[in-house]
Amino acid sequence: MALKCGIVGLPNVGKSTLFNCLSNAKAQSANFPFCTIEPNVGVITVPDGRLNRLVEMCNPRSTVPATVEIVDIAGLVKGASKGEGLGNKFLANIRETDAILHVLRCFDDDNITHVDATVDPVRDMEIINYELQLKDLETVDSRLAKTLKAAQTGGDKTAKLQAAVLQAYKEALEAGKPARSVTFETQDEQRFARDLFLLTNKPVMYVCNVDDASAVSGNAYVEAVRKAIEGEDASVLVVAAKTESEIAELDTFEERQEFLREMGLEESGVSRLIRAAYALLGLKTYFTAGPDEVRAWTFLEGTKAPQAAGIIHTDFEKGFIRAEVIKYDDFVTLGSETAVKEAGKMNVEGKEYVVQDGDIMHFRFNV
């Protein structure tokens, strides 16, 4: 499923360092702006203890984890909406992503220059959000002028609906609010709103890049960010990118775990970030499990059984008959598919079944 998160932020906030931790694709990481010119893309494995447990139980010939695509996008500066710096390239790249990981510098270090000379993550956040809002406002204004004309002169009902959506977005953007702060009731409104592909309509997570000492509990910069986004439909994740890069260089799992314990962390920030990015995209996981293969399949929340089957192969969806569903907890508790069946815990589901995160599924189909 080709959904991807874009890592964005001002120059020198730690985007490329973080990306390097996430991916085997090594973006450049240096102490000057625009080090990352073209967007670097990495396909990242999603950590999932459930998959590991199923592998232990089934001992399959192959294992396929879930993945999420991460894109490292060049740093943005003030005036990007008007083409300043790498603004046009930045905006084009971010438009192609499905969600945003907004990295904020929340650490002091005299050896790393800041594009605005001082460290202020709330100001940095507002710079990028402002540029994205300006670009969205430009899009909305352009569409609104044409739509209003059609609505007023022709009495077009569709044009009237579209004009109302655009006007709602215009008011929010002019008030300094992102497009995602606006909600619509009808499916037609929601469909048109999605089709506008507004930059500030994308789900966002603010990633606070902190120093080693703040990796566990955060710091005053992080608290300022939390306060600034109160009421916004967004979340905050604390990561020490420099520490994560040191963890990534260790050779064995045991060494990495020992490092984390010494830091007072239960798991790496990278693992938390990957899972958070997966959730930010609205993604869930179902499994197929057997002696040949244990595999995690990615689906969008709300997907029904036939469409979930189609993720494996289009023929599965076309000829869908039923889905045999085992809950992960039942499988682990009872120990095998046979034991689950004997206990009457395998459910047979039809076309209207909404797939749940962690379902172990077997599809029956006829082409």
Side-chain angles (χ1 to χ4, degrees):
M1 184 172 292
L3 294 178
K4 56 189 177 183
C5 283
I7 299 181
V8 305
L10 293 180
N12 291 354
V13 297
K15 300 185 314 300
S16 295
T17 301
L18 193 58
F19 178 83
N20 289 343
C21 298
L22 289 166
S23 173
N24 289 327
K26 293 296 180 184
Q28 284 182 298
S29 182
N31 184 25
F32 56 88
F34 311 130
C35 178
T36 307
I37 304 299
E38 296 298 332
N40 295 274
V41 181
V43 178
I44 315 300
T45 298
V46 179
D48 194 329
R50 297 172 302 181
L51 181 73
N52 299 338
R53 185 73 181 101
L54 291 175
V55 169
E56 289 174 5
M57 294 177 68
C58 298
N59 193 26
R61 295 182 183 88
S62 68
T63 304
V64 183
T67 60
V68 63
E69 200 167 288
I70 305 288
V71 186
D72 179 27
I73 298 172
L76 174 140
V77 295
K78 248 181 232 180
S81 58
K82 296 179 176 62
E84 294 293 326
L86 295 170
N88 291 331
K89 186 180 289 290
F90 173 96
L91 294 166
N93 290 334
I94 197 173
R95 198 177 294 281
E96 294 171 2
T97 66
D98 301 286
I100 298 170
L101 302 176
H102 188 158
V103 182
L104 299 169
R105 177 171 169 174
C106 294
F107 65 91
D108 294 307
D109 189 336
D110 293 338
N111 295 317
I112 300 177
T113 59
H114 190 288
V115 70
D116 281 331
T118 59
V119 177
D120 185 342
V122 174
R123 175 203 58 206
D124 296 352
M125 174 180 67
E126 289 172 348
I127 287 172
I128 287 190
N129 287 345
Y130 179 68
E131 296 298 333
L132 298 182
Q133 288 165 11
L134 281 180
K135 198 65 182 177
D136 279 349
L137 190 56
E138 181 183 304
T139 300
V140 167
D141 280 340
S142 174
R143 291 288 297 268
L144 186 57
K146 298 173 186 174
T147 307
L148 279 174
K149 188 175 181 181
Q152 291 167 354
T153 59
D156 187 331
K157 287 185 178 180
T158 300
K160 287 182 178 179
L161 177 146
Q162 293 177 351
V165 170
L166 290 164
Q167 188 62 46
Y169 277 142
K170 180 178 173 66
E171 290 172 5
L173 292 164
E174 287 181 339
K177 297 177 181 178
R180 63 182 170 274
S181 67
V182 183
T183 57
F184 300 101
E185 293 182 3
T186 72
Q187 288 187 347
D188 288 340
E189 289 173 325
Q190 293 166 3
R191 191 178 301 110
F192 176 67
R194 283 194 302 271
D195 290 345
L196 290 170
F197 298 106
L198 297 179
L199 299 172
T200 63
N201 218 6
K202 299 176 186 293
V204 65
M205 173 178 291
Y206 295 103
V207 181
C208 292
N209 183 16
V210 300
D211 54 33
D212 291 0
S214 306
V216 177
S217 57
N219 56 30
Y221 291 133
V222 175
E223 291 310 308
V225 172
R226 291 189 198 279
K227 186 174 181 181
I229 67 165
E230 283 179 359
E232 184 181 339
D233 184 17
S235 56
V236 171
L237 187 74
V238 177
V239 173
K242 185 172 179 292
T243 302
E244 295 295 325
S245 66
E246 293 171 2
I247 293 171
E249 290 175 4
L250 296 174
D251 293 330
T252 67
F253 175 78
E254 288 72 20
E255 287 177 314
R256 291 191 289 273
Q257 290 303 110
E258 179 61 27
F259 190 106
L260 288 169
R261 279 194 293 272
E262 290 176 0
M263 290 289 298
L265 297 168
E266 293 183 6
E267 63 174 341
S268 74
V270 163
S271 293
R272 289 185 288 112
L273 179 58
I274 295 170
R275 281 203 303 275
Y278 194 71
L280 190 63
L281 290 165
L283 300 178
K284 302 290 184 181
T285 302
Y286 76 82
F287 301 98
T288 51
D292 290 330
E293 179 184 79
V294 169
R295 182 164 183 156
W297 298 91
T298 297
F299 67 96
L300 280 168
E301 187 172 9
T303 297
K304 293 184 178 180
Q307 289 70 50
I311 294 169
I312 298 177
H313 196 287
T314 53
D315 285 349
F316 284 29
E317 181 175 358
K318 290 176 185 174
F320 178 88
I321 299 172
R322 65 180 183 273
E324 295 170 354
V325 183
I326 298 173
K327 296 302 178 185
Y328 169 80
D329 288 343
D330 290 337
F331 188 87
V332 171
T333 301
L334 296 170
S336 70
E337 183 176 321
T338 301
V340 170
K341 288 179 179 177
E342 289 174 352
K345 294 286 189 178
M346 177 184 281
N347 298 324
V348 177
E349 305 288 356
K351 293 182 178 180
E352 294 304 309
Y353 176 69
V354 177
V355 181
Q356 301 299 303
D357 186 52
D359 281 352
I360 300 170
M361 307 193 74
H362 182 69
F363 298 103
R364 299 293 183 181
F365 67 101
N366 183 25
V367 178

